């Protein structure tokens, strides 16, 4: 490329950047502004021709809260940050009570990575080993499987899908799952940056081709994604963008530049856990009568720690005996448990 061509390309890119800035500054997008990614946010938009959907998220606050709850070091926080981001991106647009669970079972030091999100932006997650030392993320993950479970209270059975871990960086492995197990044409990226005991940025995006997507639209979005990667500049997209405070709205506007972006909506992700004393008692009832009688006879205390939020629950022998005397239904059946918990 000659210097004149390079200069013209730079001028074209500056013009496109100016148009994008003007677009997202309009009144239509005012409600979706999130300066410097102050708040956690999931924003989604669609191209004007209805051929592409883009969803982008920032999840830094959630990751910092998870680091505190689980006393996580940098590598586990990086893994869990990517996992909850992917779960929030892929659960965007589902029904409020529907859930999306992402699990990586692996033979590396992390052992397991779990993230669950619902259609309202509620999310929770944990890793098998939250305190491992510094090492490359692929080494911490190792080999294993990516498993996705989608569920809804009204479904007779959940949907399950599974693929092998190949890249060991979570987002690309989830992308492989989408292509192989669900035959979805997507571009997915997630990144988390941790410095010391603080997550400084976390988030990602997914670009999905919708039915009838034309070759012209594909060519345009490929050009836009190349521009996005160039602006990121880290080789670990979108780590650089998030570190610079580029918001989900801005990411979507770059991806859909020239395609008449229309907003679909936004949600504010929040850590939500379903643990309770009732769930602890349900688990105790599943132990078997002889084992429970032995616990009561020895006047031992039952203690359980929630894997998702770290909260500790305790039941003494007197309380345990009283709860058993009043217990109804079958603890192995969700319907009985939910009815008796009301």
């Amino acid at each position: 490329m000659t210097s004149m061509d390079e200069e013209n390309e730079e001028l074209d890119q500056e013009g496109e950047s100016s148009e994008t800035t003007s677009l997202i500054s309009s009144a239509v997008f005012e409600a979706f502004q999130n300066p410097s990614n102050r708040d956690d946010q999931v924003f989604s938009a669609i191209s004007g021709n209805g051929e592409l959907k883009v969803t982008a998220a920032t999840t830094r606050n959630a990751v910092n809260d998870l680091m505190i709850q689980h006393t996580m070091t940098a590598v586990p926080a990086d893994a869990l940050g990517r996992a909850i981001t992917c779960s929030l991106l892929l659960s965007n647009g589902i029904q409020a009570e529907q859930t999306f669970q992402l699990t990586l079972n692996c033979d590396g030091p992390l052992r397991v990575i779990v993230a669950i999100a619902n259609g309202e932006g509620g999310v929770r997650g944990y890793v098998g080993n939250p305190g491992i030392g510094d090492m490359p993320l692929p080494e911490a993950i190792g080999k294993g499987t990516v498993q996705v479970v989608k569920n809804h209270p009204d479904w007779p059975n959940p949907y399950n899908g599974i693929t092998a871990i190949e890249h060991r960086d979570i987002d690309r492995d989830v992308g492989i799952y989408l292509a192989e197990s669900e035959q979805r044409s997507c571009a997915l990226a997630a990144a988390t940056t941790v410095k010391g005991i603080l997550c400084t940025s976390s988030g990602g995006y997914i670009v999905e081709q919708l039915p009838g997507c034309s070759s012209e639209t594909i060519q345009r979005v490929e050009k836009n994604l190349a521009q996005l990667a160039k602006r990121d500049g880290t080789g670990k997209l979108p780590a650089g963008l998030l570190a610079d405070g580029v918001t989900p709205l801005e990411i979507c506007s770059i991806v859909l530049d020239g395609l008449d972006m229309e907003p679909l909506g936004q949600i504010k992700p929040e850590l939500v856990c379903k643990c309770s004393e009732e769930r602890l008692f349900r688990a105790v009832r599943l132990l078997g009568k002889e084992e429970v009688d032995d616990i009561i006879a020895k006047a031992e205390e039952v203690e359980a720690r929630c894997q998702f939020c770290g909260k500790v629950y305790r039941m003494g022998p007197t309380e345990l005996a009283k709860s058993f005397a009043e217990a109804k239904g079958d603890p192995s059946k969700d319907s009985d448990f939910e009815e008796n918990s009301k």
Side-chain angles (χ1 to χ4, degrees):
M1 182 181 289
T2 65
S3 59
M4 182 66 72
D5 290 334
E6 291 173 347
E7 183 177 341
N8 289 336
E9 183 181 8
E10 288 177 1
L11 289 173
D12 288 342
Q13 291 172 356
E14 289 175 3
E16 291 174 355
S17 176
S18 177
E19 291 175 7
T20 298
T21 302
S22 177
L23 172 66
I24 64 176
S25 298
S26 66
V28 176
F29 296 97
E30 184 176 354
F32 307 109
Q33 302 287 345
N34 185 20
S36 301
N37 288 324
R38 178 182 57 214
D39 299 319
D40 284 355
Q41 179 191 35
V42 180
F43 170 75
S44 60
I46 193 170
S47 59
N49 59 14
E51 296 178 357
L52 283 172
K53 179 187 176 185
V54 184
T55 305
T58 175
T59 56
R60 181 191 70 247
N61 296 329
V63 175
N64 275 314
D65 288 342
L66 286 166
M67 288 183 72
I68 294 171
Q69 288 179 354
H70 299 280
T71 320
M72 281 193 297
T73 51
V75 176
D78 182 10
L80 190 54
R82 296 182 189 218
I84 66 166
T85 296
C86 288
S87 294
L88 286 166
L89 292 172
L90 292 169
S91 63
N92 181 257
I94 66 176
Q95 295 179 349
E97 61 271 33
Q98 190 174 339
T99 58
F100 178 97
Q101 177 172 331
L102 171 66
T103 303
L104 281 80
N105 290 301
C106 44
D107 65 2
L110 282 174
R111 299 199 301 270
V112 65
I113 306 160
V114 179
I116 304 175
N118 61 34
E120 295 181 312
V123 66
R124 61 190 189 276
Y126 68 90
V127 295
N129 188 351
I132 64 173
D134 188 35
M135 65 179 69
L137 182 60
E139 182 181 330
I141 293 175
K143 299 178 181 178
T145 58
V146 175
Q147 182 177 10
V148 167
V149 178
K150 301 178 184 179
N151 205 359
H152 187 285
D154 296 335
W155 293 357
N157 296 295
Y159 166 85
N160 290 273
I162 188 168
T163 53
I165 292 174
E166 294 186 21
H167 294 286
R168 301 180 296 168
D169 59 7
I170 300 177
D171 52 329
R172 284 193 295 173
D173 286 308
V174 173
I176 289 174
Y177 162 82
L178 293 172
E180 293 184 359
S181 186
E182 298 189 13
Q183 291 75 53
R184 292 166 63 179
S185 298
C186 304
L188 172 68
T192 299
T193 301
V194 178
K195 295 182 179 179
I197 59 172
L198 182 68
C199 172
T200 56
S201 65
S202 181
Y205 66 83
I206 183 170
V207 184
E208 183 169 9
Q209 294 180 30
L210 300 179
C213 187
S214 66
S215 58
E216 292 80 11
T217 298
I218 293 173
Q219 290 173 3
R220 178 68 194 199
V221 79
E222 286 177 346
K223 176 184 176 182
N224 292 345
L225 286 171
Q227 181 62 25
L228 190 73
K230 183 177 181 180
R231 180 172 173 180
D232 180 87
T234 64
K236 297 179 180 180
L237 194 70
L241 296 170
L242 295 168
D244 290 339
V246 177
T247 67
L249 172 59
E250 291 174 299
I251 290 174
C252 289
S253 69
I254 296 170
V255 175
L256 292 175
D257 183 51
L259 293 169
D260 301 320
M261 179 176 74
E262 297 178 4
L264 291 175
Q266 66 177 339
I267 56 175
K268 183 177 180 179
E270 293 183 356
L271 293 182
V272 175
C273 190
K274 292 186 175 182
C275 70
S276 65
E277 191 170 280
E278 287 75 19
R279 287 178 178 270
L280 166 61
F281 179 58
R282 183 190 185 189
V284 172
R285 288 182 67 193
L286 292 170
L287 291 175
K289 189 175 185 306
E290 289 184 4
E291 189 170 350
V292 173
D293 287 344
D294 185 56
I295 292 173
I296 295 173
K298 293 179 179 178
E300 293 178 348
E301 186 177 65
V302 176
E303 180 178 297
R305 182 180 184 275
C306 177
Q307 288 181 301
F308 289 101
C309 71
K311 186 174 182 179
V312 176
Y313 292 90
R314 297 180 178 87
M315 292 185 75
T318 302
E319 183 183 4
L320 198 59
K322 182 176 182 293
S323 296
F324 261 91
E326 299 173 351
K328 297 178 181 178
D330 185 346
S332 66
K333 294 181 179 180
D334 289 339
S335 56
D336 284 9
F337 170 69
E338 289 164 1
E339 182 65 30
N340 290 318
S341 295
K342 291 179 181 178

